C-alpha cells in the first residue's frame, strides 16, 4: 500500500502544480488585459471616432491626394505621416491610411495617377504603422521606464528614416510591374 500511496501523492502534487501554474497564468493574462490592453483599445476607439467624426481624415486625404502622382510628392507624404509627433496619432486603426488609400486607389483607377505609383503610394501612407502600439508593447513586455524613454523616440525617429526609404525602394521595385499591352 505504501508504494501506491507514494505514486498517488506524486501524481496529485504534479497535477496540483500544473493546475496552479495554469491558474496563475490565467490570472496574469487577465490582469495584463485589464491594465494594458483595454485602456489602449479605449484610446484607439476614441482617436478613430474623433478622426471619423471631425472629418480630419478626409481633409488630410484630399490635401495630399495631389502629391501622390510623383516620387517627390510621395516622399513628402511619407515624411508627413512619419513625423514622430504625428505618427502615433495617425496610426490608430490606420484610419488616415485607409482613407488616403481609398482616395489614391480611386485616382489610380481613373487614370489620374499612373499605376506605377500604387506600390510606392502604399508605402508612403504607412510609415506610421505600429507607432501607436509602441508604448503598449513595451508595457506588455514589462520594459523598464528607461527603456520606454529611449525606445519610443528611437522607433519613431527610425520610421522617419525608413518610411521615405521604403517609398524609394518601392518606386524602384515597381518598374515594369504595370506594363500596358496593346
Amino acid at each position: 500500500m505504501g508504494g501506491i500511496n507514494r505514486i498517488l501523492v506524486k501524481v496529485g502534487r504534479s497535477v496540483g502544480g500544473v493546475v496552479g501554474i495554469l491558474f496563475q497564468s490565467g490570472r496574469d493574462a487577465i490582469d495584463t488585459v485589464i491594465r494594458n490592453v483595454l485602456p489602449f483599445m479605449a484610446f484607439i476607439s476614441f482617436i478613430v471616432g474623433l478622426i471619423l467624426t471631425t472629418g480630419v481624415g478626409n481633409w488630410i486625404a484630399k490635401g495630399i491626394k495631389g502629391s501622390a502622382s510623383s516620387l517627390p510628392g510621395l516622399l513628402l507624404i511619407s515624411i508627413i505621416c512619419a513625423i514622430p509627433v504625428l505618427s502615433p496619432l495617425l496610426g490608430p486603426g490606420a484610419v488616415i491610411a485607409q482613407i488616403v488609400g481609398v482616395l489614391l486607389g480611386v485616382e489610380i483607377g481613373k487614370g489620374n495617377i499612373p499605376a506605377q505609383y500604387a506600390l510606392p503610394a502604399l508605402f508612403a501612407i504607412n510609415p506610421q504603422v505600429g507607432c501607436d502600439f509602441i508604448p503598449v508593447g513595451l508595457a506588455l513586455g514589462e520594459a523598464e521606464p528607461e527603456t520606454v524613454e529611449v525606445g519610443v523616440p528611437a522607433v519613431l525617429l527610425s520610421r522617419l528614416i525608413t518610411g521615405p526609404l521604403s517609398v524609394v525602394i518601392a518606386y524602384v521595385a515597381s518598374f515594369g510591374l504595370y506594363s500596358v499591352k496593346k
Side-chain angles (χ1 to χ4, degrees), residues 79-137:
I79 290 169
I80 290 170
C81 289
I83 293 174
V85 176
L86 290 179
S87 55
L89 298 175
L90 296 176
V95 175
I96 301 293
Q98 288 176 30
I99 294 169
V100 173
V102 168
L103 287 175
L104 292 178
V106 168
E107 294 300 315
I108 289 170
K110 288 179 182 177
N112 296 336
I113 298 175
Q116 70 260 23
Y117 290 113
L119 185 61
L122 173 67
F123 284 93
I125 63 175
N126 282 315
Q128 82 287 350
V129 172
C131 290
D132 55 332
F133 193 73
I134 296 165
V136 175

